[in-house]
Amino acid sequence: MISTAAAIGSVWMEPRTMNGRVERASGRPASFNSVRNVRSRSRRFDYGFTYMSALILIVVSGIALSEAGRLWQTISKREREEELLFRGDQIRRAIASYVDVAGQSSPSYPMRLEDLLKDPRFPGTKRHLRRIYHDPMTMDGKWALILNEGGGIKGVHTRSEESPLKSGNFPAIYASFENARTYADWNFLNVPIQSQPVSVSETGSSMSP
């Protein structure tokens, strides 16, 4: 009886493979080792999948941030463009007021933009402009001045060489803006540029914010 039980125990403790070799490495059934190997491979797959997911997330986030940056730049540029149209038109109107108020046959133009704040031809305070707007398209805010032959200021334009976003639906007085290649071509003139030769000064004038 004892020899029979020992033989049975020996058979269980030393399982043999199909080629007759005894598996003694772990002392456990072969099925246990197989499960452990499967779990190890599964963990390696999970780690690899997590790494790839993180890379994909980084790439997608970078693309989204890049698109958001371009959108923000476009919105900011459009806002500055609208300010340029408003401020340039205000200065043009102030120059027209300066010319018209004198009632002279020969137009008299301001020699400085500051003359639009306080007309030097009158003893009191005569204003044609509430304040001198700075150029929203440049860092220093200085306009390029469009001068007549006598050195008077007939108009202004920005020095920015950026390409405009707006290309149509301008007021009739600014119809020429539709063909402009840069913002610097947007001339805010009191009179059409064809009516009198003009020169352009890049010196500008001190701007208040």
Side-chain angles (χ1 to χ4, degrees), residues 10 23 56 61-62 70 73 77 79 81 98-99 114-115 135 156 164 174 180 208:
S10 174
E23 292 185 351
I56 293 172
S61 298
R70 281 195 289 268
Q73 289 178 351
K77 183 176 180 179
E79 290 177 348
E81 183 179 87
Y98 185 97
V99 171
E114 286 77 9
D115 292 344
D135 178 0
V156 297
Y174 300 132
S208 60

Side-chain angles (χ1 to χ4, degrees), residues 2-191:
I2 295 175
S3 60
T4 302
I8 294 173
S10 174
V11 170
W12 184 85
M13 291 298 294
E14 297 180 354
R16 296 178 181 274
T17 61
M18 292 184 66
N19 59 12
R21 291 185 299 178
V22 177
E23 292 185 351
R24 300 175 181 274
S26 62
R28 297 185 177 87
S31 60
F32 180 88
N33 292 330
S34 298
V35 171
R36 184 174 62 179
N37 291 337
V38 169
R39 288 177 177 175
S40 177
R41 288 195 295 271
S42 177
R43 283 195 296 270
R44 288 196 297 270
F45 175 79
D46 289 342
Y47 294 152
F49 181 78
T50 302
Y51 179 73
M52 289 299 298
S53 299
L55 286 179
I56 293 172
L57 180 60
I58 291 172
V59 171
V60 172
S61 298
I63 294 173
L65 289 174
S66 177
E67 291 297 324
R70 281 195 289 268
L71 178 60
W72 181 86
Q73 289 178 351
T74 300
I75 293 174
S76 176
K77 183 176 180 179
R78 193 174 299 279
E79 290 177 348
R80 290 185 293 117
E81 183 179 87
E82 292 177 356
E83 277 298 304
L84 175 63
L85 287 167
F86 170 77
R87 298 180 185 189
D89 184 66
Q90 290 294 304
I91 294 175
R92 182 196 64 79
R93 290 173 181 270
I95 294 173
S97 173
Y98 185 97
V99 171
D100 294 340
V101 75
Q104 300 173 354
S105 58
S106 178
S108 176
Y109 290 94
M111 302 304 293
R112 306 179 308 150
L113 289 179
E114 286 77 9
D115 292 344
L116 300 174
L117 299 179
K118 185 180 184 301
D119 194 329
R121 299 170 300 177
F122 295 89
T125 301
K126 175 64 178 178
R127 291 184 179 274
H128 304 281
L129 189 66
R130 182 169 60 89
R131 65 186 180 93
I132 299 178
Y133 299 97
H134 69 271
D135 178 0
M137 306 304 294
T138 58
M139 293 295 293
D140 61 10
K142 294 182 178 180
W143 299 94
L145 306 179
I146 303 174
L147 310 177
N148 68 357
E149 293 179 344
I153 301 173
K154 293 172 63 69
V156 297
H157 69 79
T158 179
R159 290 175 287 118
S160 172
E161 295 294 334
E162 294 184 62
S163 298
L165 295 175
K166 186 178 177 62
S167 60
N169 299 321
F170 291 99
I173 194 172
Y174 300 132
S176 62
F177 289 9
E178 295 183 4
N179 301 319
R181 298 181 60 184
T182 69
Y183 288 121
D185 297 324
W186 288 9
N187 293 314
F188 298 92
L189 280 167
N190 176 47
V191 293

